């Protein structure tokens, strides 16, 4: 069994009483005070997540931005330096190798934040395609990542002297005063919760001092640390895709309803031909939101059937499922066959451990976004 990797502040999580679980090859804090309490803190006040397991990579050299634009799905030409963009690294069949954030530093530098388990694969694909003048560097353990999320996130960052007035998906480099001295950080107005928030990237070795400073301010503003459990319930309520669930090498952005992250007019990017063809013909399945109308919680991999359908009449499956602390009922994301004719308002049945759970097909997100 491969040993799990530890983030830069594992000692802080242990001291805070966190429970841990494996995720993407990393030993991750799942919860501290409990998932529902942490979820509620983010929706109503503020929470801080340690997501330092996320990958980091840089693409540098003359024309680095143009190279990234010829490989990753979204149109990097639509943003300017100082902005970030959600994008996809696709395979030849149009499936998603990873979804990631691209920080456009300048024409000659793009900083990438892929998912933990997929970082090496993304770096390998880009390196194989890169011309001699372009360097792709895996920087996974050079930086930590902390997400400060919630209605009071602005107050927290202002209290510690970090900038807050950038546009959504914009980033700035700043210095954070800490007990250990001034620490350079990158601050981006991004997140994975649907609340106003920021992601702060310090140097790996200085992550402890940065976390201590941020956590003190979060606590002062009625918030608390939040773990992987709350991160999942928050993102599911927003209908945000998680790689390995709603996105995968055999699930395309068209199927997952993230075609908005594809630069359809670009002449070149990984998987373009397959995606253009799928968009033209229509996908064989699409992602939908499901809200339980009976008692029960749908979970990932549960079979979805038409109401009144035969026991083997599968029309899709849940990709994610959880209890929604905001709605106080079960919710799920599900890939459903286009041929089933499902639409918002339709009723379906989810097989939860052999018991039929009636669900309504609903529009996403399940709760309003406040980013």
């Amino acid at each position: 069994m491969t040993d799990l990797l530890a983030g830069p502040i594992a000692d802080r999580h242990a001291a805070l009483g966190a429970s841990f679980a494996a995720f993407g090859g990393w030993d991750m804090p799942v919860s501290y005070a409990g998932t529902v309490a942490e979820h509620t803190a983010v929706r109503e006040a503020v929470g801080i997540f340690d997501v330092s397991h996320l990958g980091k990579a840089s693409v540098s050299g003359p024309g680095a931005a143009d190279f990234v634009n010829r490989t990753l799905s979204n149109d990097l030409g639509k943003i300017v330096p100082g902005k970030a963009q959600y994008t996809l690294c696709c395979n030849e069949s149009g499936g998603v190798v990873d979804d990631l954030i691209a920080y456009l530093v300048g024409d000659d530098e793009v900083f990438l934040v892929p998912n933990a388990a997929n970082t090496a694969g993304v770096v390998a694909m880009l390196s194989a395609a890169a011309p001699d003048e372009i360097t792709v560097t895996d920087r996974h353990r050079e930086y930590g990542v902390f997400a400060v999320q919630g209605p009071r996130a602005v107050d927290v960052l202002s209290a510690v002297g970090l900038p807050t007035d950038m546009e959504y998906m914009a980033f700035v480099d700043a210095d954070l005063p800490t007990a250990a001295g001034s620490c350079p950080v990158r601050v981006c107005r991004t997140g994975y919760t649907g609340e106003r928030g920021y992601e702060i990237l310090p140097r790996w070795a200085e992550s402890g001092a940065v976390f201590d400073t941020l956590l003190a301010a979060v606590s002062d503003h009625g918030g608390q640390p939040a773990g992987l459990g709350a991160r999942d319930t928050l993102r599911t309520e927003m209908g945000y895709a998680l790689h390995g669930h709603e996105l995968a090498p055999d699930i395309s952005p068209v199927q997952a309803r993230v075609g908005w992250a594809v630069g359809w007019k670009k002449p070149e990017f990984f998987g373009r031909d397959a995606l253009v063809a799928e968009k033209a013909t229509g996908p064989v399945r699409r992602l939908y939101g499901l809200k339980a109308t009976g008692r029960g919680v749908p979970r990932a991999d549960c079979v979805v059937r038409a109401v009144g359908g035969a026991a083997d009449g599968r029309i899709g499956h849940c990709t994610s499922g959880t209890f929604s602390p905001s709605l106080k009922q079960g919710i799920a994301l599900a890939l459903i066959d286009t041929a089933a004719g499902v639409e918002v308002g339709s009723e379906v049945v989810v097989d939860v451990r052999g018991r039929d759970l009636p669900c309504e097909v609903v529009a996403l997100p399940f709760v309003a976004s406040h980013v």
Side-chain angles (χ1 to χ4, degrees):
M1 180 176 176
T2 303
D3 291 336
L4 294 175
L5 299 171
I9 60 164
D11 58 333
R12 264 80 167 176
H13 298 309
L16 289 167
S19 59
F20 292 84
F23 182 79
W26 293 71
D27 198 19
M28 294 288 296
V30 175
S31 68
Y32 307 83
T35 293
V36 172
E38 294 160 23
H39 177 112
T40 303
V42 173
R43 289 279 183 246
E44 297 181 358
V46 65
I48 180 170
F49 301 82
D50 174 17
V51 286
S52 299
H53 68 298
L54 291 173
K56 305 98 193 172
S58 62
V59 182
S60 58
D66 287 340
F67 166 70
V68 170
N69 208 28
R70 296 194 306 271
T71 53
L72 303 186
S73 69
N74 214 334
D75 188 352
L76 203 61
K78 290 184 176 180
I79 65 172
V80 297
K83 296 294 289 287
Q85 185 182 70
Y86 179 81
T87 189
L88 308 163
C89 180
C90 295
N91 56 31
E92 289 186 1
S93 63
V96 180
V97 175
D98 199 23
D99 61 331
L100 58 161
I101 301 292
Y103 290 69
L104 181 57
V105 181
D107 292 343
D108 297 340
E109 182 181 356
V110 180
F111 186 79
L112 303 175
V113 179
N115 285 292
N118 301 329
T119 301
V122 170
V123 168
M125 286 183 67
L126 292 175
S127 296
D132 291 343
E133 66 272 17
I134 300 295
T135 301
V136 182
T137 306
D138 188 335
R139 310 181 74 180
H140 204 149
R141 304 191 75 167
E142 291 184 31
Y143 299 95
V145 186
F146 303 122
V148 177
Q149 303 282 300
R152 304 204 68 184
V154 172
D155 299 330
V156 169
L157 264 69
S158 296
V160 299
L162 290 178
T164 62
D165 59 355
M166 67 280 280
E167 297 177 348
Y168 182 57
M169 298 297 285
F171 69 91
V172 296
D173 292 332
D175 291 307
L176 174 65
T178 75
S182 181
C183 298
V185 295
R186 178 161 286 170
V187 183
C188 192
R189 196 179 146 201
T190 50
Y192 198 47
T193 65
E195 297 299 330
R196 173 84 179 233
Y198 303 84
E199 292 180 308
I200 297 96
L201 284 75
R203 291 185 291 217
W204 187 273
E206 296 170 345
S207 293
V210 170
F211 180 79
D212 292 344
T213 300
L214 292 171
L215 178 60
V218 165
S219 300
D220 288 345
H221 289 85
Q224 57 185 282
L228 204 63
R231 183 171 168 86
D232 191 58
T233 56
L234 289 158
R235 72 93 190 169
T236 304
E237 287 187 347
M238 297 310 304
Y240 290 159
L242 175 64
H243 195 273
H245 292 254
E246 290 72 44
L247 297 168
D250 62 346
I251 303 174
S252 77
V254 180
Q255 296 168 19
R257 296 188 188 272
V258 291
W260 53 267
V262 177
W264 295 106
K265 295 181 180 179
K266 295 198 305 180
E268 183 183 1
F269 57 89
F270 294 156
R272 181 185 184 278
D273 291 347
L275 287 172
V276 169
E278 184 181 35
K279 184 184 179 187
T281 60
V284 296
R285 56 184 180 174
R286 274 193 183 279
L287 191 73
Y288 291 89
L290 303 182
K291 186 184 294 184
T293 55
R295 295 188 63 180
V297 178
R299 299 293 184 183
D301 299 324
C302 286
V303 169
V304 180
R305 301 196 314 271
V307 174
D312 60 351
R314 172 187 176 127
I315 62 171
H317 73 281
C318 295
T319 53
S320 294
T322 190
F323 173 78
S324 164
S326 299
L327 301 177
K328 296 181 171 52
Q329 64 189 126
I331 60 173
L333 300 172
L335 280 171
I336 298 179
D337 298 342
T338 307
V342 165
E343 58 186 21
V344 172
S346 295
E347 298 290 333
V348 297
V349 172
V350 175
D351 183 338
V352 181
R353 297 180 179 176
R355 185 176 68 86
D356 286 352
L357 175 64
C359 294
E360 178 188 3
V361 178
V362 299
L364 297 171
F366 293 99
V367 301
S369 172
H370 302 104
V371 297

